[in-house]
Amino acid sequence: MAATDVDVFSNEEKRNLSLGGHVGFDSLPDQLVSKSVTQGFCFNILCVGETGIGKSTLMNTLFNTMFENEEASHYQNGVYLRPRTYDLQESNVHLKLTIVDTVGFGDQINKEDSYKPIVDYIDTQFENYLQEELKIKRSLFNYHDTRIHICLYFIAPTGHSLKSLDLVTMKKLDSKVNIIPIIAKADTISKSELHKFKIKIMSELVSNGVQIYQFPTDDEAVSEINASMNAHLPFAVVGSVEEVKVGNKTVRARQYPWGVVQVENESHCDFVKLREMLIRVNMEDLREQTHARHYELYRRCKLEEMGFKDTDPDSQPFSLQETYEAKRKEFLGDLQRKEEEMRQMFVNKVKETEAELKEKERELHDKFEQLKKLHQEEKRKVEEKRRDLEEEMNAFNRRKVAAETLSLSQPLKKDKDKKN
Amino acid sequence: MTASSRYRSRVPRPEDAEEKEYVGFATLPNQVHRKSVKKGFDFTLMVAGESGLGKSTLVNSLFLTDLHKDRKLLNAEERINQTVEITKHTVDIEEKGVKLKLTIVDTPGFGDAVNNTECWRPITGYIDQQFEQYFRDESGLNRKNIQDNRVHCCLYFIPPFGHGLRPVDIEFMKALQDKVNVVPLIAKADCLTPLEIKKLKERLREEIDKYGIKIYQFPDCDSDEDEEFKRQDKELKESTPFAVIGSNTVVEARGQRVRGRLYPWGIVEVENPSHCDFVKLRTMLIRTHMHDLKDITSDCHYENYRAQCIQTMTSKMNADKRVESPIPILPLSTPDVETEKLIKMKDDELRRMQQMLQKMQQQMHEQDL
């Protein structure tokens, strides 16, 4: 009875009603906001670029603080990632910022595997989150989310086009993370060259099917500014933490003999645009995209790999429980089979070793017998010789005695002969 | 002071010669000057470095011509598996009656692929090829018109975006240090502040020392040169590697039209010594040390190559007597290992016999006494 009642209710059409007075649930967003603020936000940035291209300086400039960073060397054997977490606060908003640096990127002579550590790192973060989600006792609300929300790809300002390494790496990363390409050290490119460079880069990305992050244009509040910013990609940035006096103000800038490049001057570089887009306008959207698009894609691939499906061959929805049971049985079966195999192998090995040992024993025994025989032979020979020798000795003694008795009977005659 | 004026100031004028035994061979430098102007000079310059570091722009700025008119630059995807090519451009330029046949050897594709193992092999192959060609010509029967295509100088462009030398830079320079004069340059120096340039130069000099890379060293100037020249020379030596900027465009700065780059925050002048070392590079490369580069190439690198070549050839010949030597060579003056051993043995024997002889003589002497 209860089941049919429920069915009836769920088939009913949803109706729009108008309110008679002010109820007050328009404060829901505010409640959400205050809850988020107390919870704190977390944001993870991945900076990919060659050594020395200005990643650390740009981070310092963006967040207006000095994150401790030693200069990296050019002689790393491979690429490795270095995540650092910082706690920042502005007004009453807490931000747990994680900056992941790629150390050694672009330095090796053979760069074919350079993208692998980066992809592995991103996948690991997704995996950790997935594990947490699948736990029985899970605490997602205070889980420290380490998934990368944004990847800033630093392009070297050659003025011609992308490097081959850039293209290969971005293609591998575009389905896993939001990529914003930026042109680093842009104070080496003049305005006209910059225009051509940007067009070339974007056309190369498009023709190779690289999906970079597009600022969302569906929310009317920010759609206009986002749309105009999309046209300025990739941003040409200059980073600096040094302050220079220009006019009567002190601004962050780089001082050259021929002029001063001001970081926050929009006609000098696109730093302000980057800051606007990255931090002030679209941070939340980046996090959402990471969770809703990239993470879901990863999860789907991973679960499909493990053998889970949403529908079984008869197109009936599978319950996760049943799938789990099936999986477990399969797994146990596998385990047993493996155990059997191992036991067999062990028994075989033991038999083999036994047989070997027996062989060896027999051999040893044979040798012993042989040696014994030899020894006896030798002993016999020696005995014979001894007897011969004894006989000889006896014969000699007898002759000696005989000679002596003979000589005793004629001693005087011999002496007389000698004297003459 | 330019080179030619130095010579002129040395030639003694006839009024200075007090003795009537003024022979007149002090005019030899003038004669050399005349002859060389008639003959003309040639110079081969190689530029190497990754794409986009401004090599072609710098060459255009150095020689004030436009060498690369229609260049086809490859896309990133085409460069993933690119091999290094060697392209040659030859131009004849003339200044004040002195003719120069300039050859620029470019190496497009160097360091551009994803896997750059041994990407310098085509380059060392090319240099060796030029040496071989010259070797054959020199050993030929008709030596009238030998074309010297040997590479006299290699400008290696180091990107300014890093913290110093990268592994590929070290490998390249080590592979080429014994074949050609390597002059490292810091490319696109307009992205570095003066302090950063200083730090980078120190870093590079340290690393070049540390890894034992033999780059081209300026010869020390003689002690009888004048002070100005010595000072210039010292300045030159202290500012290696040169930090250069190149430009194809002429801009208006401080009321003059100069080669430079126009930025919203200022104008970089290529020929301004306080902006970059372009002037120093040009002075060194063209105005003072061009001939020295050629001399070192022919006296040092080429001779090394030739000696090596001859040794390998004769050792091969010793193995296979039927192969005739393609070039006339003198018999080996350096004995190989086996004959040396033999000689040593014989020497030892001789010495022993001599000692025995001496002993016997002494004995006889004693016996007589």
Side-chain angles (χ1 to χ4, degrees), chain B residues 129-341:
Chain B
Q129 210 183 37
Q130 304 311 309
F131 278 159
E132 198 187 311
Q133 172 92 36
Y134 192 79
F135 186 38
R136 278 178 197 280
D137 285 346
E138 200 186 45
S139 324
L141 296 171
N142 187 351
R143 303 205 297 183
K144 265 212 167 140
N145 295 323
I146 305 184
Q147 280 239 340
D148 186 3
N149 286 325
R150 301 173 292 184
V151 180
H152 298 123
C153 177
C154 175
L155 297 177
Y156 185 68
F157 287 72
I158 300 175
F161 313 125
H163 295 311
L165 287 176
R166 298 165 304 160
V168 69
D169 300 332
I170 297 175
E171 293 293 314
F172 178 81
M173 289 204 271
K174 286 196 93 119
L176 256 69
Q177 64 189 1
D178 290 320
K179 297 187 190 281
V180 74
N181 301 311
V182 176
V183 177
L185 303 174
I186 302 175
K188 292 207 167 176
D190 54 352
C191 88
L192 298 170
T193 59
L195 189 64
E196 289 169 354
I197 291 185
K198 198 160 115 145
K199 258 190 359 187
L200 185 61
K201 283 189 182 180
E202 269 170 26
R203 197 56 169 288
L204 287 175
R205 278 201 289 261
E206 235 177 68
E207 291 186 342
I208 288 178
D209 266 336
K210 180 166 141 197
Y211 290 100
I213 301 176
K214 296 186 263 189
I215 58 173
Y216 171 68
Q217 303 289 342
F218 301 117
D220 295 318
C221 46
D222 308 318
S223 49
D224 59 348
E225 301 276 355
D226 50 17
E227 280 306 313
E228 171 76 19
F229 190 66
K230 273 200 221 165
R231 192 180 59 82
Q232 265 183 8
D233 197 56
K234 186 157 160 286
E235 238 183 71
L236 221 64
K237 286 198 187 143
E238 280 174 3
S239 46
T240 48
F242 296 130
V244 293
I245 303 174
S247 166
N248 282 330
T249 53
V250 179
V251 295
E252 179 95 20
R254 292 180 290 144
Q256 291 177 325
R257 291 181 65 77
V258 287
R259 278 197 171 231
R261 289 172 65 75
L262 181 62
Y263 289 114
W265 48 85
I267 300 180
V268 182
E269 292 164 47
V270 167
E271 302 196 6
N272 187 334
S274 61
H275 287 190
C276 72
D277 295 331
F278 176 79
V279 176
K280 292 204 185 83
L281 174 69
R282 186 176 58 188
T283 312
M284 186 279 282
L285 193 61
I286 304 179
R287 295 187 185 174
T288 45
H289 290 87
M290 199 184 240
H291 210 78
D292 184 58
L293 286 165
K294 289 177 70 167
D295 281 342
I296 293 196
T297 309
S298 70
D299 293 342
C300 190
H301 301 297
Y302 173 66
E303 292 299 319
N304 279 346
Y305 173 81
R306 187 168 168 277
Q308 244 182 25
C309 209
I310 293 182
Q311 268 196 352
T312 44
M313 255 202 280
T314 45
S315 65
K316 268 196 241 158
M317 260 175 49
N318 284 338
D320 184 2
K321 297 275 186 215
R322 290 167 297 157
V323 176
E324 284 213 350
S325 157
I327 49 159
I329 45 169
L330 293 171
L332 257 185
S333 52
T334 55
D336 58 342
V337 187
E338 281 188 19
T339 35
E340 266 197 32
K341 262 197 239 159

Side-chain angles (χ1 to χ4, degrees), chain A residues 50-54 71-76 106-113 156-165 167-168 185-191 193 200 204 207-208 238 242 254-262 267-269, chain B residues 50-53 71 73-77 79-81 111-118 120 160-168 170-171 188-194 196 199 203 207 211 245 261-268 274-276:
Chain A
E50 292 173 5
T51 310
I53 199 106
E71 232 177 47
S73 97
H74 280 283
Y75 308 112
Q76 307 281 347
D107 277 336
Q108 299 78 32
I109 294 185
N110 184 353
K111 298 176 268 211
E112 282 177 348
D113 293 334
T158 56
H160 291 323
S161 66
L162 283 176
K163 291 197 183 168
S164 47
L165 174 67
L167 198 61
V168 165
K185 299 207 169 178
D187 52 357
T188 196
I189 315 183
S190 66
K191 270 264 175 324
E193 290 170 356
K200 189 84 201 310
E204 281 196 329
S207 66
N208 282 294
V238 174
E242 285 147 13
R254 284 174 67 76
Q255 175 133 54
Y256 290 108
W258 49 85
V260 178
V261 182
Q262 295 162 32
S267 61
H268 287 189
C269 70
Chain B
E50 284 184 0
S51 310
L53 287 179
R71 269 200 309 172
L73 292 169
L74 294 178
N75 289 333
E77 60 198 348
R79 284 191 269 160
I80 291 179
N81 288 318
D112 280 346
V114 179
N115 185 352
N116 289 318
T117 328
E118 309 238 315
W120 49 85
F161 313 125
H163 295 311
L165 287 176
R166 298 165 304 160
V168 69
I170 297 175
E171 293 293 314
K188 292 207 167 176
D190 54 352
C191 88
L192 298 170
T193 59
E196 289 169 354
K199 258 190 359 187
R203 197 56 169 288
E207 291 186 342
Y211 290 100
I245 303 174
R261 289 172 65 75
L262 181 62
Y263 289 114
W265 48 85
I267 300 180
V268 182
S274 61
H275 287 190
C276 72

Side-chain angles (χ1 to χ4, degrees), chain A residues 40-308:
Chain A
F41 297 90
C42 95
F43 196 61
N44 308 320
I45 304 181
L46 169 68
C47 294
V48 180
E50 292 173 5
T51 310
I53 199 106
K55 304 186 282 289
S56 317
T57 313
L58 186 69
M59 288 295 113
N60 290 348
T61 321
L62 260 179
F63 292 98
N64 222 338
T65 162
M66 292 292 284
F67 300 118
E68 355 89 28
N69 263 317
E70 329 92 37
E71 232 177 47
S73 97
H74 280 283
Y75 308 112
Q76 307 281 347
N77 277 339
V79 180
Y80 74 94
L81 282 89
R82 191 173 57 181
R84 297 233 176 103
T85 311
Y86 307 96
D87 272 315
L88 306 172
Q89 184 178 3
E90 197 177 48
S91 322
N92 58 346
V93 178
H94 288 267
L95 178 68
K96 210 185 187 69
L97 179 71
T98 304
I99 300 183
V100 185
D101 233 338
T102 49
V103 180
F105 188 74
D107 277 336
Q108 299 78 32
I109 294 185
N110 184 353
K111 298 176 268 211
E112 282 177 348
D113 293 334
S114 293
Y115 68 87
K116 284 203 188 122
I118 306 177
V119 170
D120 286 341
Y121 180 84
I122 297 177
D123 279 345
T124 316
Q125 307 317 308
F126 281 156
E127 181 67 30
N128 291 346
Y129 193 84
L130 184 64
Q131 294 294 331
E132 183 67 28
E133 229 188 13
L134 292 176
K135 268 197 203 161
I136 298 174
K137 231 178 157 186
R138 62 188 194 180
S139 53
L140 277 177
F141 58 91
N142 60 3
Y143 173 73
H144 178 199
D145 187 6
T146 52
R147 297 172 296 180
I148 302 290
H149 299 126
I150 171 83
C151 168
L152 289 174
Y153 196 93
F154 288 70
I155 299 174
T158 56
H160 291 323
S161 66
L162 283 176
K163 291 197 183 168
S164 47
L165 174 67
D166 295 341
L167 198 61
V168 165
T169 313
M170 279 206 259
K171 276 199 91 152
K172 295 271 178 217
L173 291 177
D174 69 349
S175 58
K176 293 194 179 286
V177 73
N178 303 314
I179 302 184
I180 295 186
I182 55 183
I183 301 174
K185 299 207 169 178
D187 52 357
T188 196
I189 315 183
S190 66
K191 270 264 175 324
S192 51
E193 290 170 356
L194 186 63
H195 191 64
K196 278 197 283 189
F197 191 35
K198 283 190 181 183
I199 295 180
K200 189 84 201 310
I201 292 180
M202 290 311 278
S203 77
E204 281 196 329
L205 289 175
V206 163
S207 66
N208 282 294
V210 176
Q211 305 233 338
I212 57 173
Y213 177 71
Q214 297 291 328
F215 303 118
T217 46
D218 43 6
D219 180 3
E220 325 84 51
V222 289
S223 70
E224 217 183 273
I225 185 172
N226 277 348
S228 79
M229 288 303 175
N230 273 330
H232 280 110
L233 281 174
F235 294 129
V237 293
V238 174
S240 170
V241 284
E242 285 147 13
E243 311 234 316
V244 174
K245 200 163 168 65
V246 172
N248 51 1
K249 288 193 299 174
T250 331
V251 287
R252 288 181 296 173
R254 284 174 67 76
Q255 175 133 54
Y256 290 108
W258 49 85
V260 178
V261 182
Q262 295 162 32
V263 165
E264 300 193 7
N265 185 333
E266 292 222 38
S267 61
H268 287 189
C269 70
D270 298 332
F271 173 78
V272 174
K273 296 195 181 79
L274 175 69
R275 188 177 55 191
E276 278 287 313
M277 287 294 101
L278 187 61
I279 304 181
R280 294 185 186 174
V281 176
N282 293 313
M283 213 186 220
E284 188 53 38
D285 181 68
L286 285 164
R287 291 172 42 178
E288 222 182 278
Q289 287 278 328
T290 310
H291 183 73
R293 199 152 62 102
H294 300 291
Y295 172 68
E296 288 301 315
L297 181 64
Y298 174 81
R299 181 173 172 277
R300 198 174 66 210
C301 292
K302 206 67 202 304
L303 292 181
E304 273 176 2
E305 229 177 89
M306 291 210 282
F308 292 103

